[in-house]
């Protein structure tokens, strides 16, 4: 017994079964999903934070590179004495204030002289500065008499508050021996040093340096990496997450700080990915290399598992309730969806019935959001359009008597039916393919023996050929008459590949095109024969008498001139007089 049920009943049953299966599986895969969320989230957090830290460091360092590069071409590079360098303080102070992450701007000279202005105060850095001091100038002036060192404390308006001699500073520091000086002298562009401890302040940071034209001086600025702690704190994924920026030696350059409940500032100790136990909690450690010059900097993140899993547990709990609600709503929703699916199928059945009766007047209007049903609707619509095109082209070919208009029209209709972007209709003229009609394509005459591979392949096989020409998809269709003689070639081009339905449709149309070309040749031969007969009779009449010689040559031209003048008249008796192409031919 063959039982047949309505489509919406079968779809509803299948849909309910799938929802039930999904509900059962959700509980089983919950733990695996949570574990994957934990691992993927930790990895993504570390990677994203490293990218953002690197970007912010680049934002902090890039302006310093620009400022140092500009300063290297300024007048300070040519200053010889401490007094001359002090006169450049206003410009240097403004540059230093614009660089928020820079702690100092300085220049080292090839004679060992040095001139630096640094911001005051800095937390953790002591210079025994007077109250209210905003800047410190550290200067070393080299001369024949020796090296003179001094520290000058400045107020916010860069007025001098106190000046101290610093002979020990002059003896212990020579810029020419510093790594930033040697690296900058070897490069034409500004350089970045690896993180190191600054000589004057003892802070850890990076130096940006650039040499002046000629190499007499090297300008530099210090970027203190400890200022990145605030940036690290902004990247915390959970309240308990600890972050630290460490160098290749394991030295912490910046961190978010710690507390008694976890690793805290000791995060660099856990430099390898994995999990650790600390403070009665399990911590997940992620280490990510920063994509930044200088290389060797790593971001280490330490996140407690319980905080990272909290959101995942909440998500699983919410999913359970949502699944239960979906199960309650499944039956009416499935029933409604199945009814919506079956409705366009019933409409398509009606469309097929109309096609079987050759009724093409009503357009196909079936609305659906189901891809397969939509594709079926498109296929039916394409089939109706193809049949309608085929019948229209055949009717047009049968009705058109002017073959000069027929060929472009035939190419245009064929190109439209095949959704082609361009096309050309070649006619055989002896041993040459001559373009008789073109659509959005430049074409030149081609010798049959040297035809392009695609066209030549179609000619040789006698069947439509698919291929590519200049990166575009092409279809070549040979046109042969009833004696299997080649009378032309139809070439179509488009960006997308031609479907098999296009090939079949063009093959069916090629017969109509061939018949049109064959009829054109027969009619042309008939007209040529009739023209030759008329010309022969006219020459015979002209040759009959010397008095009427040339009469049959002159009278047609005079007649055409009179008729043309009458057609061009816009007023008078002949204002409405016009001749169409057939009447002009008859007059001729």
């Amino acid at each position: 017994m063959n039982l047949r049920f309505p489509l919406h009943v079968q779809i509803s049953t299948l849909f309910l079964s799938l929802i039930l299966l999904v509900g059962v599986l959700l509980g089983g895969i919950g733990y695996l999903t949570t574990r994957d969320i934990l691992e993927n989230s930790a990895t993504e957090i570390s990677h994203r934070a490293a990218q953002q830290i690197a970007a912010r460091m680049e934002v902090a360092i890039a302006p310093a590179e620009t400022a140092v590069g500009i300063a290297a071409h300024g007048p300070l590079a040519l200053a010889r004495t401490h007094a001359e360098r002090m006169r450049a303080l206003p410009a240097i102070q403004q540059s230093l204030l614009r660089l928020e992450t820079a702690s100092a701007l300085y220049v080292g000279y090839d004679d060992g002289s040095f001139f630096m202005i640094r911001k005051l105060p800095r937390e953790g850095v002591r210079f025994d500065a007077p109250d209210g001091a905003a800047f410190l100038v550290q200067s070393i002036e080299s001369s024949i008499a020796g090296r003179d060192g001094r520290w000058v404390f400045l107020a916010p308006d860069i007025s001098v508050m106190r000046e101290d001699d610093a002979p020990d500073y002059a003896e212990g520091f020579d810029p020419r021996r510093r790594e930033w000086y040697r690296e900058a002298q070897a490069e034409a562009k500004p350089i970045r040093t690896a993180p190191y401890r600054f000589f004057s302040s003892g802070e850890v940071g990076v130096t940006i340096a650039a040499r002046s034209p000629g190499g007499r001086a090297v300008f530099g600025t210090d970027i203190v990496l400890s200022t990145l702690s605030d940036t690290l704190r902004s990247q915390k994924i959970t309240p308990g997450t600890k972050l630290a920026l460490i160098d290749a030696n394991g030295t912490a350059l910046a961190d978010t700080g710690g507390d008694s409940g976890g690793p805290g500032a000791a995060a660099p100790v856990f430099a390898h990915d994995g999990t650790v136990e600390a403070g009665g909690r399990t911590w997940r450690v992620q280490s990510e290399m920063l994509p930044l010059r200088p290389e060797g900097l790593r971001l280490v993140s330490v996140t407690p598992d319980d905080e990272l899993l909290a959101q995942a547990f909440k998500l699983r709990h919410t999913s359970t309730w949502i699944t239960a609600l979906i199960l309650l709503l499944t039956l009416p929703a499935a029933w409604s969806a199945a009814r919506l699916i079956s409705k366009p199928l019933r409409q398509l059945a009606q469309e097929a019935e109309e096609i079987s009766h050759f009724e093409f007047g009503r357009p196909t209007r079936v609305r659906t959001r189901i891809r397969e049903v939509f594709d079926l609707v498109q296929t039916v619509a394409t089939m109706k359009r193809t049949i309608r095109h085929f019948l229209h082209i055949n009717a047009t070919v049968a009705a058109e008597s002017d073959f000069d208009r027929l060929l472009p029209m035939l190419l245009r209709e064929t190109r439209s039916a095949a959704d082609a972007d361009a096309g050309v209709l070649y006619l055989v003229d002896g041993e040459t393919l001559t373009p008789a009609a073109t659509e959005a394509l430049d074409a030149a005459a081609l010798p049959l023996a040297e035809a392009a591979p695609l066209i030549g392949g179609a000619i040789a096989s006698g069947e439509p050929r698919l291929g590519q020409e200049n990166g575009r998809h092409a279809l070549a269709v040979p046109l042969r008459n009833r004696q299997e003689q080649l009378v032309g070639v139809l070439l179509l081009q488009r960006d997308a590949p031609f479907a098999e339905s296009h090939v079949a449709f063009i093959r069916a149309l090629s017969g109509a095109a061939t018949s049109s070309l064959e009829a054109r040749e027969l009619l042309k031969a008939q007209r040529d024969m009739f023209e030759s007969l008329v010309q022969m009779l006219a020459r015979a009449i002209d040759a009959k008498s010397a008095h009427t010689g040339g009469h049959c040559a002159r009278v047609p031209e005079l007649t055409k001139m009179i008729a043309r003048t009458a057609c061009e008249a816009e007023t008078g008796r002949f204002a409405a007089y016009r001749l169409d192409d057939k009447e002009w031919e008859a007059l001729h």
Side-chain angles (χ1 to χ4, degrees):
M1 182 178 180
N2 294 327
L3 298 178
R4 294 181 176 84
F5 299 96
L7 178 61
H8 64 274
V9 174
Q10 299 186 40
I11 294 177
S12 300
T13 302
L14 177 61
F15 190 65
L16 285 170
S17 300
L18 290 176
I19 291 297
L20 182 61
L21 178 62
V22 170
V24 173
L25 291 178
L26 282 177
I29 65 175
Y31 172 75
L32 296 177
T33 302
T34 303
R35 187 185 66 185
D36 291 341
I37 291 175
L38 169 63
E39 296 175 351
N40 294 335
S41 297
T43 301
E44 180 61 25
I45 291 167
S46 178
H47 178 73
R48 185 173 63 250
Q51 295 289 333
Q52 293 180 359
I53 291 293
R56 295 193 181 189
M57 288 183 65
E58 188 66 32
V59 169
I61 293 175
E65 288 183 335
T66 302
V68 169
I70 294 174
H73 292 76
L76 190 58
L78 303 177
R80 296 287 183 174
T81 66
H82 173 77
E84 292 177 354
R85 294 160 190 159
M86 288 293 289
R87 285 195 291 269
L89 271 180
I92 302 176
Q93 177 215 24
Q94 292 302 316
S95 296
L96 183 60
L97 292 177
R98 284 194 293 268
L99 299 175
E100 296 181 0
T101 58
S103 63
L105 279 172
Y106 47 86
V107 55
Y109 297 89
D110 57 0
D111 64 352
S113 298
F114 184 72
F115 189 79
M116 169 191 285
I117 177 172
R118 70 167 58 252
K119 298 175 184 176
L120 291 177
R122 291 195 59 80
E123 184 180 353
V125 180
R126 299 291 181 265
F127 292 101
D128 192 22
D131 294 339
F135 302 97
L136 169 61
V137 172
Q138 296 173 256
S139 174
I140 299 175
E141 185 175 7
S142 297
S143 63
I144 299 176
R147 294 169 59 81
D148 181 21
R150 69 188 74 184
W151 286 15
V152 182
F153 295 94
L154 305 176
D157 61 354
I158 65 173
S159 60
V160 176
M161 298 180 66
R162 193 181 78 202
E163 182 173 332
D164 299 336
D165 291 333
D168 294 339
Y169 181 67
E171 282 295 324
F173 181 77
D174 188 338
R176 296 170 296 183
R177 293 197 295 266
R178 306 303 292 178
E179 190 69 25
W180 56 267
Y181 186 94
R182 292 196 296 267
E183 290 183 11
Q185 284 287 12
E187 296 290 339
K189 297 180 179 180
I191 58 96
R192 302 179 187 179
T193 67
Y196 71 102
R197 193 169 299 278
F198 299 144
F199 177 85
S200 300
S201 65
E203 297 174 294
V204 176
V206 174
T207 292
I208 310 299
R211 63 180 174 87
S212 64
R216 182 180 180 276
V218 173
F219 286 76
T221 183
D222 292 337
I223 305 298
V224 180
L225 295 182
S226 61
T227 59
L228 293 173
S229 297
D230 292 338
T231 302
L232 292 177
R233 279 188 284 272
S234 68
Q235 303 300 317
K236 295 172 63 173
I237 189 61
T238 69
T241 299
K242 316 297 179 183
L243 295 169
L245 189 65
I246 64 175
D247 62 12
N249 299 321
T251 302
L253 305 179
D255 61 66
T256 58
D259 52 39
S260 59
V269 175
F270 310 109
H272 299 287
D273 294 354
T275 57
V276 296
E277 297 292 334
R281 305 171 77 180
T282 300
W283 302 76
R284 180 167 295 272
V285 181
Q286 292 286 335
S287 178
E288 186 82 16
M289 190 70 68
L290 266 65
L292 182 74
R293 292 188 300 113
E295 298 178 351
L297 297 180
R298 283 187 297 164
L299 178 67
V300 177
S301 63
V302 185
T303 306
D305 270 3
D306 54 351
E307 291 184 4
L308 189 62
L309 278 171
Q311 189 64 30
F313 287 141
K314 181 180 179 180
L315 178 62
R316 187 174 65 176
H317 181 73
T318 303
S319 299
T320 301
W321 282 104
I322 292 176
T323 302
L325 181 61
I326 291 176
L327 289 174
L328 292 177
L329 298 176
T330 294
L331 182 59
W335 187 268
S336 299
R339 294 287 297 177
L340 289 176
I341 294 174
S342 61
K343 180 179 179 180
L345 292 177
R346 291 194 300 269
Q347 292 175 336
L348 284 174
Q350 183 179 356
E351 291 285 340
E353 182 69 18
E354 292 180 359
I355 293 175
S356 66
H357 291 88
F358 288 90
E359 297 177 2
F360 304 108
R362 189 172 65 87
T364 302
R365 294 179 180 176
V366 179
R367 296 181 179 180
T368 178
R369 295 186 179 275
I370 302 173
R371 182 182 299 275
E372 289 77 11
V373 178
F374 178 79
D375 292 341
L376 183 58
V377 171
Q378 294 298 105
T379 301
V380 171
T382 302
M383 180 175 62
K384 290 180 63 175
R385 186 170 60 252
T386 301
I387 297 175
R388 188 168 62 249
H389 265 108
F390 186 81
L391 296 177
H392 171 71
I393 292 174
N394 282 338
T396 303
V397 169
E400 183 58 63
S401 59
D402 189 339
F403 286 96
D404 291 332
R405 291 196 300 264
L406 175 62
L407 296 180
M409 181 202 65
L410 184 62
L411 175 62
R412 183 171 57 255
E413 294 291 340
T414 304
R415 182 173 72 91
S416 174
D419 291 330
D421 302 325
V424 57
L425 177 61
Y426 291 98
L427 295 182
V428 175
D429 186 6
E431 296 297 324
T432 304
L433 289 176
T434 303
T438 60
E439 286 277 336
L441 184 66
D442 294 331
L446 297 173
L448 281 174
E450 302 176 6
L454 178 63
I455 298 177
I459 295 172
S461 66
E463 291 291 330
R465 289 290 300 273
L466 294 170
Q468 285 187 308
E469 182 177 336
N470 299 326
R472 289 163 57 83
H473 295 272
L475 171 64
V477 183
L479 305 177
R480 296 182 180 275
N481 59 20
R482 284 171 289 185
Q483 288 75 36
E484 289 300 317
Q485 295 174 337
L486 185 69
V487 295
V489 176
L490 180 64
L491 178 64
L492 301 175
Q493 286 187 353
R494 57 185 285 180
D495 292 330
F498 285 91
E500 289 298 328
S501 59
H502 293 144
V503 178
F505 181 69
I506 300 303
R507 183 188 289 111
L509 282 180
S510 63
T514 303
S515 299
S516 299
L517 295 177
E518 190 174 11
R520 177 182 181 273
E521 292 299 323
L522 292 175
L523 183 58
K524 182 177 180 299
Q526 184 182 38
R527 288 179 176 176
D528 291 344
M529 182 181 68
F530 184 72
E531 178 72 16
S532 298
L533 178 60
V534 171
Q535 293 292 341
M536 181 184 68
L537 292 175
R539 286 193 295 269
I541 294 173
D542 283 345
K544 182 177 181 181
S545 171
H547 300 286
T548 61
H551 173 81
C552 292
R554 293 190 299 271
V555 170
E557 294 302 323
L558 292 173
T559 304
K560 292 178 182 179
M561 291 173 63
I562 295 172
R564 190 175 298 110
T565 301
C567 289
E568 293 173 354
E570 297 180 356
T571 59
R573 181 180 301 177
F574 296 99
Y577 182 77
R578 297 292 184 271
L579 294 179
D580 57 22
D581 293 342
K582 291 184 178 180
E583 291 170 335
W584 276 109
E585 184 179 4
L587 181 64
H588 172 72

